[in-house]
Amino acid sequence: MILKHDIPQGAKLYFGKEAKIKREIESIAAEVFETLEFEEIITPFFSYHQLEALDEKELIRFTDEKNRSLALRGDSSIDVIRLVIKRLKSEAKKWFYIQPVFRAPSSEMYQIGAEWLDGNLSEILKTNNLIFERLSKSYTLQLSHIKIPLAVSKLTGLDLDDIKKMRLYKFKDEWLKKLVNIHTLKDLNDLSGYPEEIASYLNEIKEIAKDHESAIISPLYVANLRYYTGVFYRFIKGNVVYAKGGEYVVEGERSVGFSIYTDNLLKDING
């Protein structure tokens, strides 16, 4: 029996103090973006292109009037870049959004995010962190590279799932055992002994980490977003993720961006 006041599991309801804090968070973020000359965009709730970002099982799918498959917005990044390039044809390269995304079966998640066409990952990371600083919040930065797990799988024959679940008993190569023990910037000082391809990717992480010496380096972390093409990051505390960001390519255009998980941030602020 569904009562008249019930809301679906995974749906969000904000009222009173919580609604006020949420609005203050969004206002501070918008102020940071506008100061840094980001333009605001609000994308449609419905999208034809979500499979480029997420696995089908994560999407809430249905069809349009011509029986073409579409989905509720599960991720904002690809739609933002595609709309700016193809529909708006704007010369502006820096965009931000404050809007929810939806995941199957019925999860609603608010995000504060930014996308920067041909942007700099170090600078977009600083923008992300600046918002946290304005909110008097500090989280652990984790740096990874999407191509390292893929390259390891190719070089060793390991299944990507073996890497994702860290089945260490299958890790036979000495360089791979060494890779598992990389955690800090200092661990990247000597990249000899690694296959050339792996060393190249580690060096890309190292360049970003130079400005964030306390960052945790996680070269074998496997991201669930499909579109990252290089270095990506997470801001975490315990097992909670407060933001994700990285570099990617959409419509042949390299871009960088991030998303802050508003609901997780709201819970942390409320204690």
Side-chain angles (χ1 to χ4, degrees), residues 156-172:
T156 64
L158 287 170
D159 189 272
L160 199 59
D161 196 53
D162 293 329
I163 300 168
K164 183 176 183 178
K165 296 182 178 178
M166 295 297 285
R167 296 184 176 119
L168 299 180
Y169 64 92
K170 293 187 176 183
F171 292 15
K172 305 300 183 183

Side-chain angles (χ1 to χ4, degrees), residues 36-41 80-81 83-86 88-96 115-119 253 255:
L36 296 174
E37 299 183 334
F38 282 80
E39 299 279 349
E40 186 171 9
I41 187 170
V80 168
I81 299 300
L83 288 169
V84 168
I85 293 173
K86 296 294 186 179
L88 303 183
K89 298 180 180 178
S90 172
E91 294 183 2
K93 292 182 177 292
K94 300 164 74 174
W95 296 84
F96 80 93
E115 314 300 336
W116 184 358
L117 279 79
D118 196 31
E253 296 280 349
S255 300

Side-chain angles (χ1 to χ4, degrees), residues 28-259:
I28 288 171
E31 183 180 317
V32 170
F33 287 132
E34 289 168 3
T35 299
L36 296 174
E37 299 183 334
F38 282 80
E39 299 279 349
E40 186 171 9
I41 187 170
I42 301 172
T43 65
F45 275 56
F46 309 144
S47 172
Y48 290 111
H49 309 291
Q50 290 295 298
L51 278 172
E52 295 179 37
L54 298 165
D55 189 274
E56 186 170 8
K57 65 183 180 181
E58 297 183 86
L59 299 176
I60 300 173
R61 302 287 298 277
F62 49 100
T63 58
D64 67 7
E65 75 283 356
K66 295 183 179 179
N67 204 35
R68 294 174 297 189
S69 180
L70 51 81
L72 277 177
R73 180 179 60 224
D75 182 85
S76 296
S77 298
I78 288 180
D79 280 352
V80 168
I81 299 300
R82 180 174 279 111
L83 288 169
V84 168
I85 293 173
K86 296 294 186 179
R87 191 177 186 91
L88 303 183
K89 298 180 180 178
S90 172
E91 294 183 2
K93 292 182 177 292
K94 300 164 74 174
W95 296 84
F96 80 93
Y97 56 85
I98 298 173
Q99 60 190 27
V101 296
F102 306 89
R103 304 282 175 85
S106 60
S107 293
E108 176 184 357
M109 298 175 286
Y110 267 83
Q111 292 183 343
I112 297 167
E115 314 300 336
W116 184 358
L117 279 79
D118 196 31
N120 182 287
L121 183 59
S122 290
E123 291 302 315
I124 202 75
L125 201 165
K126 289 177 183 177
T127 301
N128 188 162
N129 202 35
L130 180 57
I131 293 173
F132 288 148
E133 289 176 358
R134 287 285 307 275
L135 294 168
S136 299
K137 286 296 175 181
S138 178
Y139 302 111
T140 299
L141 174 64
Q142 179 192 56
L143 292 169
S144 306
H145 197 302
I146 193 67
K147 291 184 179 178
I148 290 179
L150 298 174
V152 168
S153 178
K154 180 180 177 181
L155 291 169
T156 64
L158 287 170
D159 189 272
L160 199 59
D161 196 53
D162 293 329
I163 300 168
K164 183 176 183 178
K165 296 182 178 178
M166 295 297 285
R167 296 184 176 119
L168 299 180
Y169 64 92
K170 293 187 176 183
F171 292 15
K172 305 300 183 183
D173 299 85
E174 289 302 316
W175 62 266
L176 181 53
K177 294 177 183 178
K178 183 181 176 184
L179 190 63
V180 171
N181 292 314
I182 289 180
H183 302 296
T184 69
L185 177 59
K186 289 182 179 179
D187 296 331
L188 296 175
N189 286 339
D190 181 9
L191 299 181
S192 63
Y194 293 104
E196 184 177 349
E197 185 177 11
I198 299 295
S200 174
Y201 298 146
L202 289 173
N203 196 55
E204 290 181 31
I205 296 177
K206 183 178 179 180
E207 289 303 308
I208 302 296
K210 286 178 180 178
D211 293 328
H212 306 275
E213 293 188 6
S214 62
I216 295 174
I217 312 300
S218 301
L220 292 173
Y221 177 71
V222 180
N224 65 338
L225 289 175
R226 294 182 170 186
Y227 52 78
Y228 286 145
T229 55
V231 177
F232 66 97
Y233 69 85
R234 304 193 301 166
F235 278 106
I236 59 177
K237 184 171 75 173
N239 294 320
V240 180
V241 178
Y242 291 90
K244 290 182 180 178
E247 53 189 30
Y248 55 91
V249 175
V250 176
E251 298 291 338
E253 296 280 349
R254 178 190 169 279
S255 300
V256 297
F258 68 84
S259 294

